[in-house]
Amino acid sequence: MKQVIGIFIALLFIPVLILVQGAIAVELRSAESFKGQMSDSIELSSPANNVPVTMKDRNGLIFAEEYIEWREPLPLASVPTFARQLFLESEDTGFFEHRGYDVSAIVRAFAVNTATDDVRQGASTITQQVVRMRFLSTEKTYERKLTELFYAAELEKQSTKEEILEMYVNEMYFGNHVYGIGAAATYYFSKPLNELNEAELAFIAAIPNNPSLYNPLKHFDRTKKRQERLLTILTKNKVITAEQADEFKNTAIELKLKKKESNYPAYSTYVLAELADLIAKSEGLTEKIANARDTSEKIELERKVKERTAEVLAAGLVIETALNPKKQKLDEQKISSLLKPAGVEAGAAVIDNETREIVSLFAGKDYKKADFHRAFQAVRQPGSAIKPLLVYAPLFESGPYTENTPINSGNLCIGSYCPTNIGGYVYGNVTVKEAFRKSHNTAAVRLFQMVGVEEAFNYIAPFHFKSITKRDMNYAAALGGFSKGMTPIELAGAYSSFIDGTYSSVHAIRAVKDREGNVLYEWPVEKSEVWSPTTVAQIRTMMSDVVLNGTGRGISYTTAYTGAKTGTTDHYKDLWVGGLNDNYTTAVWVGYDRPQSLKALSDQKLHLRIFSTLLQD
């Protein structure tokens, strides 16, 4: 009796549906103003799905991927006809005829659900499923179903059938955080969709009906049985022959799961940080931040940079980088083995002299994603490693001085500031070269005074040290006595100016592209001359002398030229080396995250051994 009543009610419901459909048709022909109101009330904008970000090394090979959900959207034209037929024949045979919903299917479902006092029987078209995936919940209530009908009708107005089908195949859930048939192919079989055979296509098509029940990693046999049912449906609907169905059913299915690439987190983490800088510069936000009227405006602009970066990342990117994977791996292994005792850390950057690109980074021992990154986040006082940049090169630029110019290295006081040499030693007159070789502090401050504080700082302005401010413009800066300091990446970049006297900002990113290969962002080529050829020659000569005869003795020679300058802060809390050979420029910091004396490690020349490692191929 209950079933009869249900059927009767369902028959009464048919005119209602017809009226609704007629009303929709009328509204389509109504005034533009009302159509605008309709669009406002039923907003069918695309959902904000995060598409994976892929990073490639200098050889074009993927080394890192950033995603929570694996998605690989495809245009409908790239989805094989057989794959489309699997879904159309099993889910919605009338897809190309209906207006978003199927009246007869709704009547059947209504009758069954009324007879059972429950809402179990579905009647969703592909359009309705897209609506549910994009805009609505999946709860089975009549209220939600009615809303779904209106949304489906609106979606059919706003999109073509092909566009709706493309949404469907790209947004279906295939279990295991995989969305879309293209992603399912690469996740379950590790090959693109167009390389799957019919049996494999039918196998992954079996999953979305119930991703938990048909999860092939847990219930392979269930997935296989549903695959066979789908092939039977195609046979009944004369899409394939019975012989073809048997052939596909008997084809072996061998899963080959995709492995998420997450190599070299020290490098990939920095790439994402650099991406934010690249977007900010490309879209004019960097200049606006530099010219911000006050702190509140600066904070607001920095917030916009974060929001814009998140938007760009969500769309999916391919980031081409300068990573040298072989060198990165060796540097990480060798430096980690040198960092003893427990707790001592290091940060370093290696720059290719020819391209001025960052090819390797060391962020810390056993670095993991989201850890403190000591190559670009550790701002430390550089000690005497700043002298070539802030004292000696500006000296040679400012007058007729050479490495043989005499300078007094005795005691010195400028007002209340009285620097001393390491160990408290007092020297007399020495040459500039000797003062550089032995890292005399009093001589460096005298030379700094000769150049002039403001003039010297003007010479390092092109390097854009982020943490150096006007309060650092004092005599202590000649010895690396900044309020904060700089990072290894910044110092290495500045030292690259001693390659040939020119400077261009160093980067890890070569190009940022969308998933179709269109270039979105690239760093502009901005190269300027910082030092004269004479200055470069003298600095390189003196840095080579440091390696052969001075504080850098112990550094290995791996090419015809190797030059360096060491740096130590008060009480040996920080050890630095900056320098270059014919192939690479590098800077390394060694220390504890919570500063303590490194005197014993300095005596063991740990920083020199790490520096030598970084200059090797």
Side-chain angles (χ1 to χ4, degrees):
M1 183 64 182
K2 188 180 290 186
Q3 186 170 1
V4 174
I5 293 172
I7 294 171
F8 178 71
I9 294 172
L11 291 172
L12 290 177
F13 192 62
I14 292 175
V16 176
L17 288 171
I18 294 172
L19 287 172
V20 169
Q21 186 168 330
I24 292 172
V26 171
E27 298 304 330
L28 280 170
R29 295 188 294 271
S30 64
E32 286 298 319
S33 61
F34 185 79
K35 287 173 70 178
Q37 294 172 10
M38 186 71 173
S39 296
D40 290 339
S41 61
I42 303 180
E43 186 175 343
L44 301 180
S45 58
S46 298
N49 294 324
N50 288 338
V51 180
V53 174
T54 300
M55 299 183 203
K56 295 183 177 181
D57 64 24
R58 58 170 41 197
N59 304 312
L61 301 177
I62 296 172
F63 71 90
E65 295 170 310
E66 298 286 333
Y67 62 86
I68 297 174
E69 302 168 348
W70 178 241
R71 295 177 183 268
E72 213 164 10
L74 296 173
L76 186 62
S78 297
V79 178
T81 301
F82 187 78
R84 297 185 228 174
Q85 290 172 320
L86 283 163
F87 293 110
L88 290 169
E89 298 297 331
S90 63
E91 296 290 331
D92 190 356
T93 55
F95 174 70
F96 286 100
E97 285 74 44
H98 62 62
R99 298 184 181 181
Y101 50 85
D102 187 331
V103 174
S104 60
I106 292 173
V107 171
R108 287 194 304 271
F110 191 85
V112 172
N113 293 333
T114 303
T116 58
D117 281 335
D118 199 357
V119 182
R120 294 179 182 174
Q121 178 71 36
S124 296
T125 62
I126 282 177
T127 307
Q128 288 173 261
Q129 291 181 54
V130 170
V131 164
R132 195 182 311 136
M133 288 187 289
R134 284 191 154 210
F135 313 114
L136 302 176
S137 69
T138 56
E139 62 176 340
K140 291 186 177 180
T141 65
Y142 290 118
E143 292 82 3
R144 199 272 298 155
K145 289 294 288 186
L146 187 59
T147 303
E148 184 181 291
L149 294 178
F150 281 103
Y151 271 63
E154 183 67 19
L155 182 59
E156 291 270 348
K157 288 192 304 178
Q158 297 184 16
S159 308
T160 66
K161 288 289 186 180
E162 287 73 18
E163 289 170 342
I164 294 170
L165 188 56
E166 182 175 304
M167 296 175 201
Y168 182 68
V169 297
N170 280 318
E171 295 182 27
M172 281 186 293
Y173 183 51
F174 285 81
N176 299 297
H177 306 289
V178 177
Y179 289 83
I181 193 169
T186 53
Y187 180 79
Y188 289 111
F189 293 106
S190 292
K191 53 186 177 182
L193 184 66
N194 61 2
E195 293 184 13
L196 265 58
N197 59 42
E198 286 82 354
E200 292 167 334
L201 288 171
F203 187 84
I204 59 173
I207 302 171
N209 182 264
N210 190 326
S212 297
L213 184 65
Y214 301 120
N215 181 348
L217 306 188
K218 295 181 178 179
H219 310 295
F220 183 91
D221 291 341
R222 291 179 186 172
T223 316
K224 185 69 174 72
K225 286 179 181 178
R226 176 157 173 78
Q227 174 228 36
E228 293 174 359
R229 289 199 296 274
L230 291 178
L231 292 170
T232 298
I233 290 173
L234 293 191
T235 303
K236 289 180 179 179
N237 294 348
K238 302 187 185 312
V239 175
I240 59 175
T241 65
E243 291 75 17
Q244 287 176 313
D246 289 339
E247 178 188 346
F248 300 154
K249 290 175 184 178
N250 292 324
T251 301
I253 298 294
E254 296 182 7
L255 298 180
K256 184 180 180 183
L257 297 183
K258 169 184 168 51
K259 177 180 176 291
K260 183 177 182 179
E261 297 293 345
S262 56
N263 302 309
Y264 316 121
Y267 200 91
S268 63
T269 298
Y270 176 72
V271 166
L272 293 179
E274 185 182 299
L275 175 65
D277 292 338
L278 175 55
I279 292 171
K281 183 173 180 62
S282 301
E283 301 188 2
L285 291 169
T286 300
E287 185 176 354
K288 289 180 180 179
I289 290 172
N291 297 322
R293 294 187 301 272
D294 50 40
T295 303
S296 61
E297 183 181 8
K298 182 179 179 181
I299 291 173
E300 176 61 20
L301 288 167
E302 289 173 343
R303 183 189 64 79
K304 286 184 179 180
V305 172
K306 290 181 180 179
E307 286 183 355
R308 183 69 186 119
T309 303
E311 289 174 4
V312 173
L313 285 169
L317 300 173
V318 176
I319 305 177
E320 297 175 353
T321 76
L323 171 69
N324 182 330
K326 178 183 176 182
K327 180 163 179 55
Q328 178 74 34
K329 184 176 182 179
L330 289 174
D331 288 350
E332 288 181 357
Q333 290 175 344
K334 291 180 179 180
I335 295 173
S336 292
S337 68
L338 291 171
L339 289 175
K340 298 173 184 177
V344 65
E345 284 290 358
V350 181
I351 297 163
D352 185 300
N353 288 354
E354 184 176 348
T355 63
R356 309 292 174 99
E357 295 173 321
I358 300 170
V359 296
S360 173
L361 290 168
F362 189 82
K365 190 173 183 178
D366 301 321
Y367 178 84
K368 296 179 181 62
K369 184 180 175 182
D371 285 353
F372 181 61
H373 198 297
R374 296 165 187 84
F376 80 95
Q377 292 177 325
V379 180
R380 299 288 188 266
Q381 292 186 345
S384 295
I386 196 65
K387 290 177 182 176
L389 298 160
L390 189 60
V391 178
Y392 289 94
L395 174 75
F396 296 143
E397 291 288 314
S398 64
Y401 305 108
T402 70
E403 60 196 74
N404 297 316
T405 297
I407 184 68
N408 183 358
S409 198
N411 289 334
L412 170 69
C413 282
I414 303 175
S416 60
Y417 178 62
C418 301
T420 59
N421 293 316
I422 297 175
Y425 292 107
V426 178
Y427 305 94
N429 285 336
V430 297
T431 63
V432 165
K433 185 175 183 179
E434 186 176 354
F436 188 93
R437 178 195 307 144
K438 299 297 184 181
S439 202
H440 292 176
N441 289 335
T442 55
V445 174
R446 279 192 172 91
L447 295 172
F448 189 55
Q449 186 180 33
M450 289 166 57
V451 175
V453 174
E454 186 174 350
E455 182 70 13
F457 270 86
N458 286 339
Y459 280 105
I460 66 169
F463 307 133
H464 300 292
F465 291 111
K466 291 181 179 180
S467 298
I468 292 181
T469 63
K470 288 184 178 180
R471 61 185 292 194
D472 292 313
M473 295 177 67
N474 53 60
Y475 289 106
L479 309 182
F482 299 97
S483 55
K484 291 183 179 179
M486 56 200 57
T487 67
I489 286 180
E490 289 179 319
L491 190 62
Y495 265 75
S496 71
S497 65
F498 295 131
I499 297 170
D500 60 6
T502 64
Y503 175 75
S504 57
S505 297
V506 296
H507 306 296
I509 296 174
R510 288 181 169 177
V512 178
K513 299 180 179 180
D514 62 21
R515 306 296 291 187
E516 285 71 46
N518 301 305
V519 176
L520 302 178
Y521 301 99
E522 283 182 310
W523 285 108
V525 178
E526 298 175 336
K527 199 171 188 178
S528 60
E529 184 175 315
V530 180
W531 315 118
S532 67
T534 302
T535 294
V536 172
Q538 293 191 97
I539 291 292
R540 287 173 65 94
T541 297
M542 293 196 304
M543 288 201 300
S544 177
D545 183 51
V546 166
V547 174
L548 293 172
N549 307 303
T551 57
R553 289 185 65 182
I555 292 173
S556 301
Y557 257 79
T558 52
T559 63
Y561 174 83
T562 300
K565 183 70 187 77
T566 60
T568 306
T569 58
D570 291 345
H571 309 295
Y572 292 89
K573 291 180 180 177
D574 304 276
L575 302 178
W576 283 89
V577 191
L580 65 158
N581 66 7
D582 291 331
N583 299 327
Y584 301 117
T585 300
T586 187
V588 57
W589 164 86
V590 177
Y592 289 92
D593 290 335
R594 292 187 176 183
Q596 56 182 287
S597 176
L598 295 162
K599 180 65 169 63
L601 296 179
S602 177
D603 292 341
Q604 296 169 19
K605 300 186 177 182
L606 174 62
H607 51 318
L608 305 186
R609 285 184 282 152
I610 293 175
F611 180 83
S612 297
T613 295
L614 292 166
L615 289 183
Q616 296 173 7
D617 282 320

